[in-house]
């Protein structure tokens, strides 16, 4: 890794660092307010509703007002809470959420007050790992919140979030590996620079899909919102939180959404690089314009988050873990294996891209045939089960088979008993409406 | 007789010592014994889920004993919505009873009213005298109500499993049905529309047209809602094999309705013991064989389509005629109409009782204030509500008020299955299982 490309980082004057930090902080808070409003509006439209449209133009100030309201709410701390930890948990969550943004690039080098500086707070050779590390620290907030509340739902929510984030961080980290292999760097600005002709989302599509899936799990958003599954755990880890502390969790959740979206844009969609038709314009990737492309890409992912929430039910905890460990992680590993092999063949043995593509096509064909054969086998199994069921129906009906008398199902007949025939005749002989035959009527207790 | 003790510091929490009669101590159930973990056992968590919980269908309380995420024991606590409806009815006339029963299972008011009225009519011996038009309107209202109730089951079930859009869609469609109820009876819920002897008021002008249009719209929109969830991988993951209860379990616990039909038994009182002329309609009893929450969900969707078919047939069978029994000793004496100042007695009726016929005035007065008498006896007519067998056991001593009215509400019986369905499964499955039972606490606690 060449040190020269980091020339601009670490050389900013002190006021520039403060300026950038404050600007990022401000942008994240505003983006959070905007995202909350945007989510509510989009979900509303998807559900034939209107959504907040009263406060400010088109309801834009709604989330600001909600924030004020939240801050002025009474703060209730449960008696059984571990107060110090209970206090520190939301702080950890919110702080970590802000910190991760330090290495996200918004644009190329620009001139601010005569100083040439990149639109990025800082960067270093392992900055993507830094984002992963900070995300892990953020989880402590959720875990500690769940543990310190001294209540059952938060405890379960905290436990779930620990397991969830650990599992999905592995899948997330593995999805980065192919990017690192191709970019030859773990620094965000270098990775963007390497996507100049073509985005990694195109060449590393499986990595991209795995990342997009695991980022939803990482941020605890629907359909993976198990730590705060309101249908089961009321509010999960933040059940016992109120007022400003709750607001901090809320803020952290939305900033995390922006962070993972920004990371996805950086690693797979070329960061601040202009998308294709615009990139034909010469000055698309210089000056302040790239911030707009970056913002659009981030919004694309945020829209996807909202769309998912409006469409899908929540997964069950064990299914979710199974999905992470048995599908995402093995798929990630297999993909890394393929990418690494292909690179070795190309770089060390001088295979051409064409030969590699042919090899890839052969592998895919083998996989397809294999899955087709598996399908046939499972169909046969299904057919065997069906015929077994039909066999079961042929067995004479036993009303007491389950230990409690049951009526015959359609197609089954009760075994012949002479008493039933007699009973049926005697019932038919009485002229009683059918609904009455088992209930007493017209008795006269007090007549 | 009572002494008030202020020594504990709280003047408003004095103790009462009774000196005569039986002393009943009301404790908090067996919570203490559940919550106190046995010695050496600390893996177990006891969760008191509800009565304030987003997914317990109102105020159902579930006491879950968990090991990790697995439910070891599930118990239901009920009674948080007890309103004393059955007791209150003993102090009201037979007609006023309708206003009470409609508030029991508040998602299926028409069914409560019909169950009660059918029993009262059987006691009165007037079952054959109910006009055809009244019966058709009853069936139509009940089937529309079945659709609206199943829509709520779908909507709340969806919401509890995280499908927010399914929730909004369900409630949006239900609104269409409630609009019809409002147009016909004046009230969206608790309409007290079905009365002993017939129905309260005839369909207003334009109602038939509106119902026809709504049925068409509902068919289209039901497809949207079911498209969201049927064959949805996540939805199936959450519901297939969840809340399993087979025919034996249903029979042992007295479970009826969609839960029973999801085991494959086509038991439906509309077919097996028809009432209100159901034998004249052409419809199927949908069944599933999976015995699980997904089967119940599919069954409810199929039932909604069957109900809409029945509503279509009702509209075709509607012919002009009386909507109330001809017997003036039972029929509600007022002739309602809509005037400039809202709904009330029609001017002709007021003209007649106030200035033409003294007997009519006396008759009106006696029926409205005192009500009609019902011959002594008891009756129970079960009907098929959206949740299963619903019946009113009505006992009369021959007076103008019921001696006792007891409802066999399917929600109450079906709730017994919670433990059988959810023990051994995960905590999230409890939610899916309870949602698939679709209990309405108003009906459970009454």
């Amino acid at each position: 890794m060449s040190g020269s490309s980091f020339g601009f980082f670490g050389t900013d004057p002190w006021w520039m660092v403060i300026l950038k930090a404050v600007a990022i902080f401000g942008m994240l808070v505003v983006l959070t307010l905007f995202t909350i409003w945007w989510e509510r509006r989009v979900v509303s439209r998807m559900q034939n509703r209107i959504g907040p449209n009263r406060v400010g133009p088109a309801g834009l100030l709604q989330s600001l007002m909600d924030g004020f309201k939240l801050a002025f709410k009474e703060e209730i701390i449960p008696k059984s809470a571990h107060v110090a930890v209970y206090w520190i948990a939301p702080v950890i969550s919110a702080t970590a959420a802000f910190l991760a943004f330090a290495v996200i690039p918004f644009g190329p080098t620009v001139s601010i007050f005569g100083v040439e500086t990149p639109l990025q707070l800082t960067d270093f050779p392992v900055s993507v790992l830094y984002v992963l590390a900070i995300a892990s620290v953020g989880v402590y907030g959720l875990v500690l919140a769940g543990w310190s509340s001294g209540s059952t739902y938060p405890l379960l929510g905290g436990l779930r979030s620990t397991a969830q984030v650990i599992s999905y961080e592995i899948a997330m980290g593995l999805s980065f590996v192919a990017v690192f292999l191709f970019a030859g760097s773990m620094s965000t600005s270098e990775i963007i620079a390497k996507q100049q002709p073509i985005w990694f989302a195109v060449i590393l599509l499986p990595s991209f899909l795995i990342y997009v899936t695991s980022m939803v799990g990482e941020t605890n958003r629907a359909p993976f919102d198990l730590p705060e599954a309101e249908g089961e755990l009321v509010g999960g880890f933040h059940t016992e939180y109120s007022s400003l502390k709750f607001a901090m969790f809320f803020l952290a959740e939305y900033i995390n959404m922006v962070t993972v979206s920004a990371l996805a844009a950086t690693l797979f969609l070329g960061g601040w690089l202009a998308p294709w038709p615009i990139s034909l314009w010469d000055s698309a990737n210089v000056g302040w314009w790239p911030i707009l492309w970056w913002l659009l890409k981030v919004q694309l992912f945020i829209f996807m988050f909202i769309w998912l929430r409006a469409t899908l039910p929540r997964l069950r905890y064990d299914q979710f873990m199974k999905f992470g460990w048995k599908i995402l992680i093995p798929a990630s590993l297999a993909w890394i294996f393929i990418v690494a092999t292909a690179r070795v063949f190309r770089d060390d043995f001088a295979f051409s891209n064409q030969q590699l593509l042919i090899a890839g096509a052969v592998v895919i064909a083998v996989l397809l045939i294999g899955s087709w054969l598996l399908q046939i086998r499972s169909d046969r199994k299904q057919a065997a089960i069906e015929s077994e069921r039909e066999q079961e129906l042929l067995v004479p009906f036993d009303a007491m088979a389950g230990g409690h008398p049951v009526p015959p199902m359609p197609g089954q007949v009760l075994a012949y008993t002479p008493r039933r025939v007699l009973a049926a005749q005697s019932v038919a002989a009485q002229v009683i409406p059918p609904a009455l035959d088992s209930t007493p009527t017209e008795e006269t207790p007090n007549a | 007789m009572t002494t008030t003790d202020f020594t504990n510091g709280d003047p408003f929490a004095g103790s009462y010592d009774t000196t005569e009669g039986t002393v009943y101590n009301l404790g908090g159930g067996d919570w203490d014994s559940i919550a106190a973990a046995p010695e050496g056992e600390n893996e177990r968590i006891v969760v008191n889920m509800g009565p304030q919980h987003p997914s317990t269908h109102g105020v159902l309380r579930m006491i879950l004993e968990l090991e990790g995420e697995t439910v070891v024991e599930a118990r239901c606590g009920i009674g948080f919505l007890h309103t004393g409806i059955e007791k209150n009815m003993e102090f009201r006339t037979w007609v006023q009873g309708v206003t009470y029963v409609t508030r029991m299972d508040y998602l299926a008011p028409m069914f409560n009213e019909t169950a009660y009225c059918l029993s009262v009519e059987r006691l009165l011996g007037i079952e054959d005298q109910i006009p055809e038009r009244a019966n058709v309107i009853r069936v139509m209202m009940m089937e529309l109500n079945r659709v609206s109730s199943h829509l709520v089951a779908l909507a709340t079930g969806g919401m509890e499993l995280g499908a927010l859009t399914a929730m909004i869609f369900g409630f949006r469609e239900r609104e269409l049905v409630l609009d019809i109820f409002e147009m016909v009876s004046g009230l969206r819920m608790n309409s007290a529309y079905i009365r002993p002897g017939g129905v309260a008021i005839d369909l207003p002008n334009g109602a038939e047209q509106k119902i026809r249009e709504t049925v068409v719209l509902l068919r289209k929109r039901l497809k949207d809602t079911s498209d969201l969830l049927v064959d949805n991988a996540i939805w199936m993951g959450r519901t297939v094999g969840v809340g399993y209860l087979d025919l034996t379990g249903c029979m042992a616990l007295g479970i009826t309705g969609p839960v029973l039909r999801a085991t494959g038994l086509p038991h439906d009182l509309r077919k097996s013991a028809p009432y209100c002329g159901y034998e004249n309609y052409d419809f199927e009893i949908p069944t599933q064989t999976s015995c699980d929450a997904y089967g119940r969900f599919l069954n409810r969707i199929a039932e909604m389509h069957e109900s809409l078919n029945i509503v279509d047939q009702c509209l075709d069978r509607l012919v002009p005629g009386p909507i109330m029994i001809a017997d003036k000793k039972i029929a509600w004496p007022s002739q309602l109409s809509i005037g400039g100042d809202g709904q009330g007695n029609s001017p002709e009726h007021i003209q007649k009782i106030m200035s033409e016929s003294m007997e009519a005035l006396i008759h009106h007065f006696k029926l409205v204030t005192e009500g009609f008498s019902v011959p002594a006896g008891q009756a129970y007519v079960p009907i098929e509500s959206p949740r299963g067998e619903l019946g009113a056991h009505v006992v009369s001593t021959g007076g103008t008020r019921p001696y006792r009215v007891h409802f066999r509400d399917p929600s109450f019986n079906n709730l017994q299955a919670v433990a059988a369905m959810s023990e051994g499964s995960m905590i999230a499955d409890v939610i899916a299982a309870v949602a698939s039972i679709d209990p309405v606490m108003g009906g459970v606690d009454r």
Side-chain angles (χ1 to χ4, degrees), chain B residues 389-409:
Chain B
E389 176 176 335
L390 173 76
H393 181 210
V394 175
V395 186
S396 170
T397 51
T400 56
R401 292 162 189 189
Y403 174 75
R404 175 84 168 98
V405 176
H406 173 73
F407 264 66
R408 187 246 186 239
D409 192 281

Side-chain angles (χ1 to χ4, degrees), chain A residues 47-48 152-153 160 230-232 234 309-310 312-316 318-319 402 404 409-410 436 441-443 446, chain B residues 45 49 53-55 69 122 161-162 164-165 168 172 234 237-238 248 252 263-264 377-378 397 426 428-429 431:
Chain A
Q47 298 175 340
N48 287 278
T152 339
Y153 294 127
R160 279 185 180 190
E230 76 164 354
E232 300 145 32
V234 187
R309 188 185 151 202
L312 295 176
R314 185 181 306 116
L315 265 80
R316 200 171 69 198
D318 60 324
Q319 293 163 347
H404 189 90
M409 289 278 193
L436 274 174
T441 44
E442 305 291 329
E443 281 173 26
N446 291 326
Chain B
I45 303 174
M49 196 182 253
H53 185 277
S55 301
E69 290 253 341
R122 179 159 293 173
L161 301 190
L164 295 177
T165 305
I168 296 282
R172 181 189 67 178
I234 299 179
R238 289 297 307 273
T248 313
T263 67
Q378 52 181 325
T397 51
M426 309 201 70
D429 292 338
I431 304 297

